[in-house]
Amino acid sequence: LGPLGLSPKKVGEDIAKATQDWKGLKVTVRLVVQNRNATVEVVPSASALVIQALKEPPRDRKKTKNIKHNGNLTIDQIIGIAKKMQHRSLARKLSGTVKEILGTCQSVGCTVDGANPHDKIDEINAGTLTIPDS
């Protein structure tokens, strides 16, 4: 920031303001600098979106470690997260992105519609659970 002639204090305040909704979660921030003006945009990861969808209370990362996220999400919430992540996904169809998010749910430790996320992936592969392409 120094060579660009930006005030680190002001940029830090802008980042703090932009990441207000993501308290207690690690999230990537993109700084776009134009004409010595920095604009901050939050680029959430799949796991951050899943944990935010679980609506857990904010926690202090320094004090509580290795927390288990044992909430439950609906398949509609998963599809909503997949639509947000679609532009960053390498999958061609939305169903592939949904499977990526379900894998993230499995690693986070939450259930989907009361079942193991991997069971939902198997249902999508078998064709018993269909994902709309829009």
Side-chain angles (χ1 to χ4, degrees), residues 4-74:
L4 299 172
L6 296 172
S7 161
K9 182 177 182 221
K10 185 180 180 309
V11 172
E13 288 169 356
D14 290 348
I15 291 173
K17 201 183 323 169
T19 57
Q20 209 78 44
D21 303 341
W22 303 90
K23 204 156 190 68
L25 293 175
K26 282 188 178 175
V27 69
T28 311
V29 175
R30 178 182 290 142
L31 273 180
V32 181
V33 180
Q34 262 186 333
N35 301 337
R36 291 186 62 203
N37 282 355
T39 53
V40 178
E41 53 186 77
V42 178
V43 186
S45 63
S47 58
L49 285 168
V50 167
I51 293 170
Q52 191 184 38
L54 287 171
K55 293 184 176 63
E56 293 182 346
R59 61 184 181 87
D60 190 4
R61 273 205 325 267
K62 292 183 180 76
K63 291 182 183 140
T64 49
K65 299 262 193 251
N66 301 333
I67 190 166
K68 279 275 176 242
H69 305 281
N70 53 5
N72 187 31
L73 294 175
T74 64

Side-chain angles (χ1 to χ4, degrees), residues 89-107:
S89 169
L90 296 175
R92 281 185 298 163
K93 295 184 180 158
L94 183 65
S95 60
T97 312
V98 168
K99 287 194 267 187
E100 287 179 19
I101 303 299
L102 285 168
T104 307
C105 288
Q106 186 173 0
S107 63

